Amino acid sequence: MSLRYSRAQILLHWIVVLLVAAQFLFEDGISTAWRQLLEGNDPGPSLGANAHVIAGIAVLVLAVLRILLRFTQGVPPLPKVEPRVLRLLAHVAHWALYALLILLPLTGGLAWFLGVAAAAEVHEALKTLLLLLIVLHVGAALYHQFILRDGLMSRMR
C-alpha cells in the first residue's frame, strides 16, 4: 500500500474542491431561476443556472470516479499513533463527504429537472451539512499539520 495518494486521486480531489467552491460562491444563478420556477415563471436561459447544473453533474461523475479509485488503488494508511476513535471519525467523515458529493447532485437534479420541491429542500439541508463537513475536514488537516505535526498532509503531495 502506498504512503501517498495517486496523482489521479490528488487531481480529482482538487478539481472537486474547486467545483464545490464554485457551487457555493456562485449559487445566485440557480437560486434566482429556482425562485422564478416556484413563482410559476419561466426563468429562461440562465448562464448561472446552467453552470450550476453542469458543475453538479461533474461533481457527481468525479465523486463516483474517486470512489472507484479508492477501491482499486486504496488509500494511504492513517498515522499509527492516531487514536482509534480519530481513525474511525476520519473514515466516517470521508464516507460522509463522498455520500454528500453524490446526494447533492442527485437531489439537485430531481428538483431542477423533475420539479420535486421536497428534493430542493433536502438539497439545501445537505448543502449545509456539506459545508460543515468541509470545515471539519480542513480543520482536521490543519490540526494534523500544525498541532500533531504527523506528516498526514504529505499523503497529498
Side-chain angles (χ1 to χ4, degrees):
M1 179 170 292
S2 176
L3 296 178
R4 59 178 293 232
Y5 288 97
S6 72
R7 288 185 192 269
Q9 288 170 310
I10 294 167
L11 180 63
L12 288 173
H13 173 274
W14 291 111
I15 291 171
V16 170
V17 166
L18 292 174
L19 286 170
V20 169
Q23 294 293 70
F24 277 105
L25 293 172
F26 305 111
E27 71 174 319
D28 290 346
I30 195 77
S31 296
T32 300
W34 181 251
R35 277 192 304 278
Q36 289 173 339
L37 282 173
L38 289 178
E39 294 167 358
N41 300 320
D42 179 8
S46 166
L47 178 61
N50 290 339
H52 190 85
V53 170
I54 291 166
I57 292 168
V59 166
L60 174 63
V61 170
L62 295 176
V64 169
L65 186 54
R66 287 183 66 191
I67 292 168
L68 290 173
L69 285 176
R70 188 176 183 98
F71 282 122
T72 59
Q73 296 181 350
V75 296
L78 292 170
K80 291 182 175 154
V81 296
E82 184 90 25
R84 183 179 166 116
V85 68
L86 290 182
R87 285 195 310 267
L88 176 63
L89 286 174
H91 289 298
V92 169
H94 277 105
W95 285 108
L97 283 167
Y98 286 128
L100 289 170
L101 292 175
I102 290 170
L103 290 172
L104 273 156
L106 291 178
T107 56
L110 284 171
W112 186 251
F113 293 113
L114 300 178
V116 180
E121 292 180 27
V122 170
H123 186 76
E124 284 299 309
L126 293 177
K127 181 177 80 172
T128 301
L129 186 55
L130 178 63
L131 188 56
L132 290 172
L133 273 174
I134 289 169
V135 169
L136 176 69
H137 182 68
V138 171
L142 293 173
Y143 176 74
H144 277 275
Q145 183 70 18
F146 297 111
I147 305 298
L148 296 180
R149 298 177 188 256
D150 60 9
L152 183 83
M153 286 180 57
S154 66
R155 303 174 340 148
M156 288 293 290
R157 284 191 274 158

